[in-house]
Amino acid sequence: MKPQAVLFDCDGVLVDSEPVTFALIQEDFAAHGLHMTIPELEPLFIGHTIEETGRYARAHGADLPAGWADGFYDRMCERLAQGTALMPGVPELLDALDRAGVPYAVGSNGRMQKMRATLGQHPAIWAKLKDRLFSGQDLGCPKPAPDLYLTAARALNADPAHCVVMEDTPTGARAGIAAGMRVLGYAPHEVNPDLRAVGAEIVTSMFEVPRLLNL
């Protein structure tokens, strides 16, 4: 049976924004006394908010200035706006959902500012999504709480039990599962055991998804 709605995470699911973000985090931390490699950073911060990232850094010796998160966000969005690719298969998947009459929305822990910077540079995708964006930070309900995805489902008049979430992090997958939704764990580079461990169904390509959703 087709789902009543599909709810997407943004970073790492719709847009390939994480390499730029982690490079900038690494630069900022090093400039303030905390030296970490990208592989060390990734498991600590993927799926978390920039505010959480800053708290971790301060607790481990980084001398971040007051207001660091806001300043970092501005620099990050400026850099992402210079060019952030869509994940492969995203336009085709959204077109398939449109043809099947299945509504969709985005639930991201990132701020709306970041979604405008990444999704906004792809006009056709932005036109489809701009009125269906939900930010856990802006709404005060970041993942892994289920509230963000429940809010998005209500906006689409969809029963959470008949919604599907696409996530690439255990934090986001836990949010979808806590909301009572089916979760597809997007792992395009390698199978992610952490996603599977929290109950997500692993998907390695967007081109697999229409079949999985019975579109």
Side-chain angles (χ1 to χ4, degrees):
M1 185 171 67
K2 291 188 301 186
Q4 290 184 10
V6 177
L7 309 175
F8 295 95
D9 178 42
C10 188
D11 299 297
V13 172
L14 295 177
V15 293
D16 192 16
S17 55
E18 290 174 344
V20 168
T21 301
F22 276 97
L24 190 57
I25 290 173
Q26 183 187 43
E27 291 172 17
D28 258 43
F29 282 7
H32 293 93
L34 180 60
H35 297 273
M36 299 179 71
T37 66
I38 297 294
E40 288 172 338
L41 286 167
E42 287 179 350
L44 292 171
F45 301 127
I46 284 180
H48 297 280
T49 66
I50 294 302
E51 286 78 6
E52 290 168 334
T53 298
R55 286 195 291 272
Y56 177 93
R58 288 190 178 97
H60 289 80
D63 184 22
L64 298 180
W68 173 82
D70 288 339
F72 177 85
Y73 234 94
D74 289 342
R75 294 193 304 278
M76 176 183 63
C77 289
E78 182 178 353
R79 188 172 296 187
L80 288 169
Q82 294 171 10
T84 304
L86 296 171
M87 298 303 283
V90 166
E92 292 85 353
L93 176 53
L94 298 186
D95 286 345
L97 290 168
D98 288 338
R99 288 193 299 270
V102 176
Y104 45 86
V106 181
S108 174
N109 265 0
R111 299 179 188 178
M112 198 70 69
Q113 175 189 3
K114 187 178 183 184
M115 288 187 274
R116 282 195 297 267
T118 56
L119 294 168
Q121 61 193 267
H122 303 281
I125 300 300
W126 179 250
K128 292 175 182 286
L129 295 174
K130 63 184 177 68
D131 297 321
R132 310 177 191 182
L133 303 175
F134 299 88
S135 163
Q137 286 191 64
D138 293 350
L139 294 172
C141 54
K143 309 166 197 176
D147 308 64
L148 178 60
Y149 281 132
L150 292 172
T151 298
R154 281 195 299 271
L156 299 179
N157 296 312
D159 180 349
H162 296 287
C163 290
V164 173
V165 166
M166 282 204 70
E167 273 285 351
D168 69 324
T169 71
T171 299
R174 285 196 295 269
I177 290 166
M181 301 175 182
R182 178 186 178 191
V183 176
L184 301 182
Y186 183 51
H189 304 299
E190 59 184 351
V191 174
N192 187 328
D194 295 330
L195 276 172
R196 181 171 282 153
V198 299
E201 303 169 45
I202 301 300
V203 176
T204 60
S205 169
M206 290 288 176
F207 295 101
E208 301 173 37
V209 176
R211 175 183 58 80
L212 294 173
L213 299 183
N214 297 309
L215 299 183

